[in-house]
Amino acid sequence: LHDSRHVSVEEKMAMFLIIIGHNERYVVIKRMFQRSSQTIHKYFHEVLAAMMTFGREMIIPSTFDTNPDSPGAHKSLRRIFKGAVCALGGTLVHAIIPASQQTVYRGRGNDKCYQNVLGICDFNMIFTFVYVGWEGVTHDSRVLTEVMAEPSNNFPFPPPSKYYLCDVAYTNTRGFMAPYRNVRYWLGDFRRRHAMTKEEKFNHAHAKPINVIERAYGVLKARFPILDNMAPYFNVQRIVVITCFAVNNFISKEKINDELFTQYE
């Protein structure tokens, strides 16, 4: 990014971050910065393009070091899941879709349209891989299968003896450790009755470290309300979502004192 004749880089970034961070529309930015809609539109897309480069610097695949002394790693991870390097899971973010294509983007039991996002995060809630754009009705396991099958996606396969923790939506296979199916799994399921069988005990232990990705998504969506109420950007919605992940990672990596990370930690 460079200063323009009448608009500095700092002002471009301020307009952009207010739009994605507070989900403000152009009409609000016009009043706030005393700029025309054309100017705001131009520089929003200029910054958005630059943020794709920023995203490649902020969303970096794991080194596959289990890093047991990491402050975000739960003690059960160190004892039981010694080969676990990250947590993998999907989430839904709101999407604006043309009427002719909305059927496959409809949310599960919801009239809103969504895109299905696949994410991998380490145990410090830093995302190491993100793939966005799948239709909302697509099952999480199919998204993972399709993403892995396309070499250009550069999916980071864990090396032998390492694996991702994933939930019951995924298949338990080499490189991916899922819990037992048809057995209590979510942490809330154990609040009234403790784990009894060996399968329940395994699932209970598994649910604790993998909870990190739910908390990571929680921080992301709390920070960026645009993910729950997307503006009609149509052709650049995927880039907007990736930018939100990149800025979120930046805040965590720079160890900025952030109340959301503190709350969800």
Side-chain angles (χ1 to χ4, degrees):
L1 292 173
H2 301 280
D3 291 341
S4 301
R5 184 175 180 182
H6 299 294
V7 182
S8 67
V9 168
E10 289 80 7
E11 186 175 352
K12 294 176 185 180
M13 285 300 304
M15 290 190 289
F16 179 84
L17 291 172
I18 290 171
I19 290 172
I20 69 165
H22 297 274
N23 201 17
E24 295 290 5
R25 300 300 188 255
Y26 285 180
V27 64
V28 175
I29 306 303
K30 281 176 61 177
R31 292 196 302 266
M32 188 178 296
F33 289 87
Q34 295 297 297
R35 299 291 184 184
S36 67
S37 296
Q38 292 86 350
T39 297
I40 296 166
H41 177 84
K42 175 183 177 180
Y43 293 125
F44 174 83
H45 286 272
E46 181 182 302
V47 175
L48 190 63
M51 293 301 284
M52 285 302 292
T53 301
F54 181 69
R56 286 189 286 272
E57 296 178 4
M58 288 296 109
I59 306 172
I60 303 172
S62 169
T63 59
F64 299 112
D65 177 8
T66 52
N67 194 14
D69 297 323
S70 165
H74 193 278
K75 60 182 180 181
S76 64
L77 172 70
R78 298 194 292 271
R79 289 202 319 268
I80 306 170
F81 303 104
K82 295 179 180 179
V85 286
C86 290
L88 177 149
T91 192
L92 297 176
V93 300
H94 183 229
I96 301 294
I97 305 297
S100 60
Q101 303 173 29
Q102 287 185 0
T103 301
V104 293
Y105 284 90
R106 291 285 183 199
R108 299 154 193 176
N110 198 314
D111 290 334
K112 294 174 72 174
C113 293
Y114 294 92
Q115 55 173 305
N116 198 334
V117 176
L118 172 67
I120 301 173
C121 77
D122 65 19
F123 295 100
N124 289 314
M125 294 195 285
I126 295 176
F127 286 94
T128 60
F129 179 83
V130 176
Y131 194 90
V132 304
W134 276 88
E135 299 89 343
V137 299
T138 309
H139 195 276
D140 290 346
S141 62
R142 187 192 164 199
V143 173
L144 176 61
T145 300
E146 297 288 344
V147 170
M148 290 192 301
E150 177 52 59
S152 64
N153 292 331
N154 297 315
F155 183 84
F157 286 94
S161 79
K162 306 291 185 181
Y163 51 84
Y164 297 132
L165 294 176
C166 49
D167 64 30
V168 291
Y170 302 93
T171 303
N172 189 18
T173 185
R174 194 198 74 75
F176 304 88
M177 182 172 286
Y180 285 99
R181 293 178 181 270
N182 303 317
V183 177
R184 284 191 299 162
Y185 174 62
W186 303 108
L187 290 175
D189 296 339
F190 296 96
R191 286 176 184 155
R192 293 188 177 181
R193 184 166 62 90
H194 294 301
M196 303 293 291
T197 66
K198 65 180 186 298
E199 291 83 5
E200 287 184 342
K201 290 177 180 178
F202 177 88
N203 280 9
H204 187 218
H206 183 283
K208 291 178 180 179
I210 198 180
N211 179 257
V212 69
I213 195 160
E214 297 300 327
R215 291 185 284 118
Y217 283 137
V219 171
L220 183 77
K221 292 182 176 182
R223 190 183 313 284
F224 297 105
I226 196 170
L227 298 178
D228 190 52
N229 187 21
M230 181 64 68
Y233 295 124
F234 290 110
N235 296 330
V236 296
Q237 291 177 79
R238 296 179 69 223
I239 303 177
V240 170
V241 175
I242 292 171
T243 296
C244 293
F245 277 92
V247 174
N248 202 60
N249 271 10
F250 173 79
I251 292 170
S252 180
K253 289 183 177 184
E254 293 297 314
K255 302 189 185 308
I256 296 171
N257 186 19
D258 179 71
E259 63 180 29
L260 285 174
F261 276 116
T262 301
Q263 176 186 341
Y264 282 83
E265 182 66 45

